[in-house]
Amino acid sequence: MNRAIRQLSPGVTLRYIATHVAWVTLDRPQARNAVDGDAALGLEHAVAITEADVDIWCTVLTGAGEQAFCAGADLRVIAEGEAASLSTPGGGFAGFVNQPRQKPWIAAVNGFALAGGTEIALACDLIVAAEHAAFGLPEVQRGLVAAAGGLYRLTRAIPRALAIELILTGERLSAQRAQQIGLVNHVVPMAELHACALALAQRICANAPIAVRESLTVARAAFDHDDHALRQISAHAMHTVANSNDFKEGPRAFLEKRPPRWSGT
């Protein structure tokens, strides 16, 4: 496996860190990993690469350094009148929050994730956080609106009353409290964050990749459709899985009392 770091843009890197696992880094520590135009293009490129590569089954997204996962939009870019560059037509803010993805993404939050940083984390499927990490949508404190998915994704992810309190006050949420209310999967010391995210990715990759992707498709749609539509989406997922080679491999491995050898086909 090629573990060399690929520079996707001046602000985003990608490397293959383990079998079937990609690691994407917002690499602008001097700007607290805030999103500029290059970072948006880089993240959009990262999604395209990981979706197209059949050998990648799960991706981890983190920020460089230990201070910030992402501070949101780069205010210098906005001040220069280039706010439009922070989004892409297909991906929305950061080239990421609206980007269609079949494969799971894990946010490894290595510091504070504020405004657009929280929105990027919420657009991932799972979140692990360092003990000093914090989340927040402080847009109302600046006369703005968290329009990159934060307002509805946060309200879906945690109890409604708590979400509205955070949205209307703009206050921060500690990693520990975020875990207590179900926003974060795991909280660990900073020194263990990398290993925690990788271990979670590898637990996912131990399973049949097509079954994982199809299951994730249904789970993501849970808040968007009624039960009738979700039954249809689930039936389509089952049909897709049933036509895969891995559908046969799973029962065969069980009967032969051996680990399954997933092909992803």
Side-chain angles (χ1 to χ4, degrees):
M1 176 179 296
N2 181 6
R3 293 179 181 246
I5 296 177
R6 296 179 60 180
Q7 192 80 42
L8 303 186
S9 77
V12 176
T13 62
L14 179 148
R15 60 182 171 135
Y16 303 95
I17 195 169
T19 303
H20 303 309
V21 180
W23 191 277
V24 176
T25 302
L26 274 167
D27 193 15
R28 304 188 70 230
Q30 76 286 354
R32 300 179 299 175
N33 298 318
V35 174
D36 65 355
D38 287 331
L41 292 174
L43 277 180
E44 184 175 58
H45 192 193
V47 173
I49 290 172
T50 55
E51 284 291 298
D53 191 333
V54 296
D55 196 46
I56 295 176
W57 297 357
C58 186
T59 301
V60 177
L61 174 62
T62 194
E66 299 185 2
Q67 181 185 11
F69 171 74
C70 175
D74 191 324
L75 298 182
R76 292 186 181 183
V77 176
I78 295 175
E80 293 169 357
E82 299 295 331
S85 69
L86 305 180
S87 299
T88 65
F93 174 70
F96 186 77
V97 299
N98 298 334
Q99 188 80 330
R101 301 186 302 274
Q102 287 189 304
K103 301 175 184 179
W105 280 62
I106 301 169
V109 180
N110 55 299
F112 59 79
L114 299 178
T118 285
E119 292 178 302
I120 291 172
L122 286 169
C124 292
D125 302 292
L126 301 163
I127 302 175
V128 298
E131 291 174 331
H132 69 291
F135 302 83
L137 297 175
E139 279 83 350
V140 295
Q141 297 177 349
R142 302 180 179 91
L144 303 173
V145 170
L151 298 178
Y152 55 85
R153 285 187 173 129
L154 185 64
T155 308
R156 290 171 177 173
I158 66 175
R160 178 179 179 274
L162 292 175
I164 291 178
E165 179 180 344
L166 290 169
I167 289 166
L168 299 187
T169 64
E171 293 173 352
R172 295 187 183 186
L173 183 68
S174 70
Q176 293 76 15
R177 181 61 173 149
Q179 184 182 33
Q180 290 172 358
I181 61 178
L183 180 65
V184 169
N185 296 83
H186 303 281
V187 175
V188 295
M190 180 62 203
E192 299 174 17
L193 182 65
H194 182 288
C196 177
L198 177 57
L200 181 56
Q202 290 177 317
R203 283 163 54 199
I204 293 169
C205 292
N207 301 309
I210 297 175
V212 166
R213 292 198 297 270
E214 292 300 321
S215 297
L216 184 58
T217 295
V218 179
R220 284 173 174 166
F223 287 95
D224 300 325
H225 303 279
D226 60 21
D227 284 2
H228 175 72
L230 289 170
R231 284 195 295 270
Q232 292 180 317
I233 296 170
S234 297
H236 182 270
M238 188 64 222
H239 176 75
T240 300
V241 169
N243 283 283
S244 69
N245 292 321
D246 286 342
F247 183 74
K248 300 175 183 177
E249 168 62 11
R252 184 183 299 120
F254 177 81
L255 293 173
E256 295 175 1
K257 298 181 180 180
R258 59 171 175 80
R261 295 185 288 268
W262 307 122
S263 66
T265 62

